[in-house]
Amino acid sequence: MDLQKIEDEALHLSKKERAQPIQRLVLSLDAPSEDELRSDWLLEAQRRAQELDSGSIQAVSGDEVMKKARALIR
């Protein structure tokens, strides 16, 4: 299927149907690789662990986070 045919067929879709592939295509343009994501998450985990170890931040339990989140959406 060539690009022109894809475009022609896409233009016959509803706005909502057209939005879905557009969003996926746009996100794919700047999407980091799996290795970049893994590296970024590792750095973030190390940063957070250092903050916990140094005492500059305190851990919050998952239950407490959920309680606060529920209170915000009520």
Side-chain angles (χ1 to χ4, degrees):
M1 189 177 284
D2 68 13
L3 184 58
Q4 186 62 50
K5 186 172 181 178
I6 293 170
E7 186 178 313
D8 291 342
E9 289 188 23
L11 290 172
H12 288 93
L13 299 172
S14 70
K15 285 184 180 182
K16 185 176 181 180
E17 291 171 322
R18 287 194 312 260
Q20 292 171 345
I22 289 170
Q23 183 180 16
R24 288 183 64 195
L25 289 168
V26 169
L27 290 174
S28 74
L29 295 174
D30 295 327
S33 71
E34 192 172 317
D35 287 340
E36 289 172 316
L37 286 174
R38 188 175 294 116
S39 175
D40 289 348
W41 278 112
L42 178 59
L43 290 171
E44 181 64 15
Q46 290 171 335
R47 183 187 66 77
R48 290 180 185 195
Q50 288 172 346
E51 289 177 337
L52 285 167
D53 291 345
S54 72
S56 65
I57 63 167
Q58 292 184 342
V60 178
S61 73
D63 289 338
E64 185 63 27
V65 170
M66 292 305 294
K67 202 182 303 182
K68 288 179 182 181
R70 286 187 189 104
L72 288 172
I73 60 175
R74 289 187 181 150

